[in-house]
Amino acid sequence: MAEIGYGIAVKVLELLGSVIYEELSSAWGVRSDLTKLERTVKAIKAVLLDAEEKQASDHRLSIWLGELKDVLQDAENVLDEFQYRILQKEVMKRQGSTSKKVSNLFSSSNPLAVRFEMAHKIKNIRKRVDEIAAEKDKFNLAQGLVDRKLNMQEMRDMTHSFVDPRNVIGREDAKKNIIHLLTDLNENSSRNVDVIPIVGIGGLGKTAIAKLVYSDELVVGHFQLRMWVCATDDFNVTRLIKQILKSAIHKIDENFGVDGLQNSFRELLRDKKFIDNLAVDELQFRLRELLKGNKFLLVLDDVWNEDRNKWMELEDLLLGGCNGSKIIVTTRNNSIATTMGTSPTYRLDGLSQEDCLSLFVKLAFKEGEEKHYPNLLEIGKDIVKKCKGVPLAVRTLASLLYSKVDEREWKSVRDNEIWHLKQNEGDILPALRLSYNQLPFHLKQCFAYCSLFPKDYEFKSLLLVQFWMAHGLLQSPDNENQDLEDIGNLYIKELMSRSLFQDVDQDAVLLYTFKMHDLVHDLALSIAKGECLVVTKKSSVSAGVCHLSILENGQEVTKQLERLSKVQTIIFKTEQHMSILETCISRFKYLRVLDLENSSFEVLPNSIRSLKHLRYLDLSENRRIKQLPDSICKLHSLQTLLLGDCSNLERLPKGIRDIISLRFLVVTTKHICLSKKAVGCLDSLRFLMIGGCENLKCLFEGMEGRLTNLRTLVVGRCPSLTSLSLSIKHLTALETLVIVECKELSLMEMEGEDNQDLKLSLQNLKIEGLPKLEVLPQWLQGSANTLQVLRIEECENLKALPEWLPRLKSLHTLQIVECPKLSSLPEGMEALAALRQLQIEGCPDLSRKCREEDSHKIAHVPLIKLEGTRFTIEKKMASASTS
């Protein structure tokens, strides 16, 4: 991964800038070494991005970067070990150890020896970094290229407006739909000029469809002026004005012939050289004069600009056109489409398999030649499937095979990943890599790590954020009210916006899932090679690999692992044998992530305690494990522990409170009661899910005041649960509460408390499958200013909605499903001014009343869905089927 050295340097500097620095410098007499180390790493970081851009053409530089990465990783591991010692000290304090013990950061029988060893490690690291840094001056590296984005004009040819329609296959429907958007007067719009964004991943054919539409006879006849500009990354308004004016010159003679209108345009524009010499004020005047009173079409192709102010500056000059003028914007970025668009975004889909095959045949064979090679055509069908509907991928692979008739060459293309195949400028991976190049540094790392998961993998937002956090990829929040989880969610949304994640399915309450397009996954693999590896019996492991996804077992795999020492990630995607697990634990002391999902061993090795750096441990869906070793409680750095669907787990370890960094916990257990002793680590928790606990009767007994940082609580499939035993007033940070399928729970156990003046932060509440729930609890009023989403499902004995419901002034989504005893909405529903979506299903009396006498209560809601036995009402905000 190109940015790996820079990323480790950032993490080392963050560690040096943390509490570790003060603890270490005073405790071990290494202040001078740490100061020098920090200064040297800063100097290296200043030139790293330039070095990593130049390494492809300088072998010596590439070797230097490899050595640098190696020593920086060692520095990170040493500093992280010190951080572990500080956590260990905090645990000892909490256990009430004697002051003498607490004064030491070690539990070793010989603390002086350990202190000496640690200090020696720091001095050794500092010397190695100094030696590496001394060599950097050989390479004439530029400083200060922090997070530089490449100039798109240097990376990609400027586009033009011509296309031969015969070379564009399978876009007839898209062309028809976009032409309709262009010629539609859009009476609902108050603007003279509408902006229509076309969005999709790189290589999907956004430019091609824009060209088709631009040159269509109907479009040519509809607009008085047509202009085409390739916007690229350089969204310089002065340059764009010049390009628009120059494009207009070409179209004047075509559209108008020799007449007075043409002459007036000619007088205004003259020629290209004349335009180049105009000052900015003269340019904007001539652009406004050109457009004034004329219906125009402007295509801004390949827009990467995210600066809204730049767009507004240009937009102001374009609004003088005649009513019905249109601007088409092609972009890969949904955020750009949202910023610029005034019409619904047109999301371009992939081609069908049939159309892909037609395009492939056209480009891989000379005309009619495919009939002579039926065997190659069959192989070609499999090759086309790899392209997943992306025309540029089809073109890339077809071009590799053009005029070749050797079946072995065709099979090689079929059987190899696209990222292994030769790629020329303009082929699919270079085209997709433009999207990667435009990412800020922190997103590049996060994106590349996604290569460890298999193709078509369904990511869960909650877990991916924890995975990134375990590797230190999330930048520290600037806002004290933000957690790292908030930063991770912002990263995911940004990658979605840039079309690098797709097939998004969002749960309104808890999480969202998404996938990577296969070709985007290939891009991630190509970027992460040498750093991340999917291990099979046939794979070849290089010594520098740090992140592994293991797909196969066997001696061949074990031998490959023996070549490695600094592995930080192991994800098992196959049945795990105890021998290979023990090998991994004993050999890879610097593990941050260990994913053992779907394992079947009955015990976890005691040696797990040696993984001091471990942040993420997944044991979910192991239905045989009965106990966790007490040694797991030595994992003081652990942030994420997943024990979901471990249905035979008898109890949690007694000392689990010692995992003091734990932020994310999912538990299935045979416990009857989870009390303070059982879950004493809750101080640091942000997310807690307790599910599938058949025997569980009570939660949180004796835990008052211990959940002050908890933001999400999920309790589900606990059929014996009768009480949460929890005072709601202590959950001041709770934002999301989900309670599902707890048939003995009524939520009334907290009703006796004094809830007057209660201030809570709850934003999302889902209650489902609680047959004993008769009324909503009074304490919900404590979230009157914050609650945004309320979902109530399958509560068959819920008799009425509370009279205080209209006081939930932030509520924007209310869903009530399968609550048949509800018969009416409370008075004053009109006061819910923020309510945007109301859904009522499986509540026949309530639905009927909302359709009839109570309809005035909900008349202000934009989206309403009421379902009775034969009647459905849907009132939706206007939206195009193409969005």
Side-chain angles (χ1 to χ4, degrees):
M1 199 188 327
E3 290 78 13
I4 186 64
Y6 187 88
I8 300 173
V10 169
K11 285 189 276 186
V12 167
L13 290 172
E14 285 181 353
L15 286 168
L16 285 169
S18 70
V19 69
I20 296 176
Y21 180 87
E22 291 301 321
E23 291 271 358
L24 296 187
S25 58
S26 59
W28 293 293
V30 290
R31 180 182 293 273
S32 175
D33 288 302
L34 287 171
T35 301
K36 290 177 182 177
L37 178 62
E38 185 174 23
R39 187 167 59 242
T40 305
V41 174
K42 281 181 178 177
I44 292 172
K45 175 175 171 275
V47 299
L48 265 179
L49 291 181
D50 189 45
E52 287 164 341
E53 284 182 18
K54 292 177 178 176
Q55 66 172 319
S57 57
D58 189 334
H59 182 62
R60 292 182 311 138
L61 183 57
S62 180
I63 292 174
W64 180 78
L65 281 171
E67 293 171 348
L68 175 65
K69 170 196 157 186
D70 193 54
V71 70
L72 286 178
Q73 279 184 329
D74 287 345
E76 181 194 359
N77 288 331
V78 169
L79 291 172
D80 196 58
E81 186 174 349
F82 283 127
Q83 191 168 48
Y84 174 84
R85 299 292 179 179
I86 293 170
L87 293 172
Q88 191 177 46
K89 175 184 175 181
E90 177 62 28
V91 170
M92 293 169 69
K93 274 186 181 179
R94 295 186 182 193
Q95 290 174 347
S97 302
T98 65
S99 58
K100 181 179 178 181
K101 286 184 179 180
V102 171
S103 66
N104 295 318
L105 295 188
F106 314 107
S107 57
S108 166
S109 59
N110 191 349
L112 286 176
V114 176
R115 179 181 297 185
F116 178 80
E117 179 192 353
M118 293 298 222
H120 179 71
K121 285 182 179 181
I122 280 286
K123 291 179 185 293
N124 183 48
I125 286 292
R126 195 264 301 162
K127 288 178 182 178
R128 288 175 60 199
V129 172
D130 284 348
E131 289 171 3
I132 293 288
E135 298 181 21
K136 77 178 190 310
D137 295 335
K138 298 177 184 177
F139 304 109
N140 297 317
L141 300 172
Q143 294 189 28
L145 301 181
V146 179
D147 211 7
R148 183 175 73 176
K149 293 182 182 179
L150 301 181
N151 188 329
M152 303 304 296
Q153 289 174 290
E154 297 172 1
M155 297 285 294
R156 175 179 174 168
D157 292 336
M158 302 292 281
T159 64
H160 54 78
S161 61
F162 175 75
V163 67
D164 186 342
R166 294 172 298 178
N167 292 330
V168 182
I169 292 173
R171 291 303 188 195
E172 293 79 10
D173 288 344
K175 175 183 172 183
K176 181 179 177 182
N177 291 334
I178 295 172
I179 288 175
H180 174 73
L181 292 173
L182 290 177
T183 55
D184 180 26
L185 288 178
N186 193 5
E187 295 178 357
N188 293 323
S189 175
S190 59
R191 300 166 52 99
N192 289 345
V193 182
D194 279 321
V195 183
I196 303 166
I198 302 176
V199 174
I201 64 169
L204 202 56
K206 301 180 294 295
T207 298
I209 191 65
K211 288 179 178 182
L212 270 183
V213 168
Y214 185 83
S215 303
D216 183 82
E217 289 183 3
L218 182 61
V219 172
V220 171
H222 187 76
F223 295 99
Q224 294 168 286
L225 268 177
R226 290 178 303 127
M227 295 150 291
W228 179 286
V229 173
C230 184
T232 67
D233 187 46
D234 177 26
F235 206 86
N236 180 283
V237 174
T238 301
R239 183 190 71 82
L240 290 172
I241 294 172
K242 290 180 180 180
Q243 294 301 113
I244 293 170
L245 293 175
K246 289 176 183 180
S247 180
I249 290 174
H250 285 297
K251 297 300 175 185
I252 291 170
D253 290 335
E254 288 181 23
N255 288 353
F256 304 110
V258 181
D259 59 15
L261 186 56
Q262 181 210 25
N263 290 335
S264 65
F265 281 143
R266 281 293 183 201
E267 181 64 27
L268 188 67
L269 301 180
R270 298 190 189 175
D271 56 37
K272 293 181 181 179
K273 190 173 182 180
F274 171 74
I275 291 171
D276 281 333
N277 292 325
L278 291 176
V280 176
D281 194 56
E282 188 66 23
L283 283 169
Q284 62 86 18
F285 169 76
R286 290 176 186 269
L287 177 60
R288 289 189 294 106
E289 286 296 305
L290 171 71
L291 301 181
K292 186 166 64 177
N294 292 303
K295 184 158 61 175
F296 69 86
L297 170 63
L298 170 63
V299 176
L300 294 175
D301 185 42
D302 199 26
V303 177
W304 295 81
N305 168 62
E306 297 179 66
D307 186 338
R308 185 167 180 262
N309 290 328
K310 284 186 177 182
W311 163 239
M312 290 171 67
E313 185 181 347
L314 178 62
E315 184 186 31
D316 286 344
L317 304 177
L318 301 175
L319 296 179
C322 182
N323 188 33
S325 295
K326 300 291 168 73
I327 300 172
I328 290 178
V329 172
T330 71
T331 181
R332 304 181 186 190
N333 193 321
N334 282 297
S335 295
I336 292 173
T338 301
T339 296
M340 299 179 69
T342 63
S343 295
T345 296
Y346 190 93
R347 305 190 190 283
L348 196 60
D349 294 325
L351 294 181
S352 67
Q353 285 296 108
E354 183 181 355
D355 288 330
C356 281
L357 184 60
S358 298
L359 181 61
F360 181 84
V361 168
K362 181 179 178 65
L363 298 173
F365 296 98
K366 294 179 181 178
E367 189 172 354
E369 191 178 41
E370 71 276 6
K371 297 173 184 175
H372 305 299
Y373 298 100
N375 56 328
L376 297 184
L377 190 58
E378 285 303 309
I379 299 171
K381 290 178 181 178
D382 292 330
I383 291 173
V384 161
K385 291 176 183 176
K386 295 160 67 80
C387 300
K388 295 290 182 177
V390 177
L392 184 56
V394 177
R395 288 178 176 275
T396 298
L397 300 188
S399 298
L400 283 174
L401 297 170
Y402 180 70
S403 77
K404 295 178 180 177
V405 295
D406 187 334
E407 191 170 308
R408 288 172 300 179
E409 293 185 82
W410 282 62
K411 287 181 177 179
S412 176
V413 171
R414 180 194 65 189
D415 298 335
N416 272 292
E417 297 283 4
I418 286 180
W419 67 278
H420 281 144
L421 303 173
K422 180 183 176 183
Q423 299 277 318
N424 296 314
E425 187 176 349
D427 284 348
I428 182 59
L429 282 190
L432 287 174
R433 195 175 180 105
L434 294 178
S435 294
Y436 174 79
N437 290 338
Q438 285 296 294
L439 292 175
F441 158 74
H442 54 276
L443 288 183
K444 286 180 177 178
Q445 292 187 104
C446 292
F447 171 75
Y449 274 57
C450 293
S451 66
L452 283 167
F453 300 91
K455 284 186 176 179
D456 207 39
Y457 179 79
E458 186 174 75
F459 291 93
K460 295 179 177 64
S461 57
L462 292 170
L463 296 182
L464 184 58
V465 168
Q466 296 300 312
F467 178 79
W468 287 339
M469 189 190 300
H471 289 295
L473 303 183
L474 305 179
Q475 294 178 323
S476 299
D478 295 327
N479 186 339
E480 64 179 17
N481 293 321
Q482 279 188 317
D483 277 340
L484 285 172
E485 287 82 356
D486 299 313
I487 302 299
N489 277 318
L490 290 175
Y491 287 8
I492 288 175
K493 289 175 182 176
E494 185 65 24
L495 290 169
M496 287 176 179
S497 174
R498 294 169 184 264
S499 302
L500 294 172
F501 290 152
Q502 63 176 33
D503 297 340
V504 181
D505 184 7
Q506 185 162 0
D507 179 320
V509 174
L510 196 57
L511 55 75
Y512 36 94
T513 61
F514 46 90
K515 294 182 179 182
M516 296 176 83
H517 191 284
D518 281 5
L519 296 176
V520 174
H521 188 271
D522 284 329
L523 172 67
L525 286 169
S526 71
I527 289 163
K529 62 184 177 184
E531 184 70 20
C532 304
L533 182 70
V534 176
V535 181
T536 65
K537 292 178 181 178
K538 296 180 180 179
S539 59
S540 176
V541 180
S542 61
V545 168
C546 293
H547 309 283
L548 304 174
S549 182
I550 300 176
L551 299 188
E552 292 181 324
N553 263 318
Q555 194 172 3
E556 301 93 333
V557 172
T558 303
K559 284 183 178 179
Q560 291 184 64
L561 297 181
E562 289 173 355
R563 299 172 57 190
L564 304 173
S565 60
K566 296 183 180 179
V567 173
Q568 294 189 355
T569 306
I570 295 181
I571 301 173
F572 282 98
K573 292 296 179 185
T574 183
E575 184 181 354
Q576 304 121 36
H577 298 306
M578 184 59 74
S579 59
I580 194 170
L581 175 59
E582 290 176 335
T583 297
C584 291
I585 292 175
S586 64
R587 188 164 185 82
F588 305 135
K589 299 300 183 184
Y590 304 115
L591 276 177
R592 266 63 169 182
V593 171
L594 180 58
D595 186 339
L596 302 170
E597 184 183 8
N598 281 311
S599 58
S600 58
F601 45 76
E602 294 184 10
V603 293
L604 193 64
N606 267 310
S607 56
I608 191 78
R609 68 183 297 164
S610 65
L611 300 180
K612 300 173 185 176
H613 306 270
L614 195 67
R615 262 71 170 181
Y616 183 111
L617 177 60
D618 187 353
L619 296 166
S620 55
E621 298 189 49
N622 181 329
R623 293 175 174 84
R624 297 183 65 189
I625 194 165
K626 294 183 178 180
Q627 290 187 2
L628 298 175
D630 289 337
S631 63
I632 200 174
C633 302
K634 299 296 183 183
L635 302 179
H636 305 315
S637 299
L638 194 68
Q639 297 169 335
T640 302
L641 179 59
L642 305 178
L643 303 170
D645 290 321
C646 294
S647 51
N648 264 316
L649 187 65
E650 294 174 353
R651 63 173 179 83
L652 295 175
K654 293 179 181 178
I656 196 170
R657 64 185 178 277
D658 294 343
I659 310 179
I660 61 172
S661 300
L662 201 62
R663 304 171 71 98
F664 193 103
L665 176 62
V666 179
V667 179
T668 300
T669 177
K670 297 173 79 172
H671 260 317
I672 293 176
C673 186
L674 287 180
S675 62
K676 180 176 181 178
K677 289 184 178 180
V679 193
C681 57
L682 297 176
D683 290 10
S684 56
L685 275 184
R686 269 62 172 180
F687 181 99
L688 176 60
M689 177 183 285
I690 299 168
C693 303
E694 295 287 332
N695 303 325
L696 193 65
K697 292 184 178 180
C698 65
L699 274 179
F700 309 126
E701 202 168 65
M703 291 304 301
E704 287 79 2
R706 302 299 301 274
L707 290 161
T708 52
N709 290 308
L710 191 68
R711 296 178 60 185
T712 301
L713 173 61
V714 182
V715 181
R717 295 182 293 114
C718 298
S720 303
L721 185 64
T722 59
S723 172
L724 294 181
S725 301
L726 182 68
S727 176
I728 195 70
K729 64 185 177 184
H730 296 297
L731 298 179
T732 53
L734 193 68
E735 295 173 349
T736 298
L737 176 61
V738 177
I739 304 175
V740 176
E741 294 181 32
C742 299
K743 63 182 182 181
E744 297 297 323
L745 195 62
S746 67
L747 298 182
M748 289 297 105
E749 69 270 17
M750 293 175 276
E751 286 300 279
E753 299 183 9
D754 181 11
N755 293 317
Q756 191 174 4
D757 300 323
L758 187 63
K759 299 293 182 185
L760 300 177
S761 305
L762 200 62
Q763 297 177 13
N764 306 291
L765 174 62
K766 178 179 179 179
I767 300 172
E768 178 183 344
L770 271 64
K772 290 202 171 183
L773 180 72
E774 296 185 1
V775 294
L776 293 182
Q778 292 285 335
W779 51 260
L780 266 180
Q781 295 182 75
S783 296
N785 294 328
T786 59
L787 192 66
Q788 299 172 17
V789 177
L790 175 58
R791 292 175 60 176
I792 308 168
E793 301 182 24
E794 298 179 24
C795 297
E796 59 260 41
N797 289 307
L798 182 63
K799 297 175 181 178
L801 295 171
E803 50 83 22
W804 45 259
L805 185 69
R807 297 179 205 150
L808 304 178
K809 62 183 183 182
S810 297
L811 192 70
H812 61 68
T813 300
L814 175 59
Q815 296 174 309
I816 305 170
V817 178
E818 299 295 337
C819 299
K821 290 190 177 180
L822 291 178
S823 59
S824 65
L825 295 174
E827 294 298 325
M829 289 292 290
E830 300 90 334
L832 292 174
L835 192 61
R836 298 197 301 268
Q837 181 179 345
L838 173 64
Q839 178 185 355
I840 299 174
E841 296 184 49
C843 312
D845 292 339
L846 181 60
S847 291
R848 180 196 59 77
K849 199 160 187 181
C850 286
R851 289 194 302 269
E852 297 171 2
E853 57 261 45
D854 278 359
S855 61
H856 64 282
K857 295 181 181 179
I858 57 175
H860 64 291
V861 182
L863 174 58
I864 300 173
K865 183 174 182 181
L866 306 176
E867 184 177 328
T869 53
R870 294 185 300 168
F871 192 87
T872 299
I873 295 178
E874 288 197 31
K875 182 174 71 168
K876 295 183 178 180
M877 298 293 285
S879 61
S881 61
T882 55
S883 64

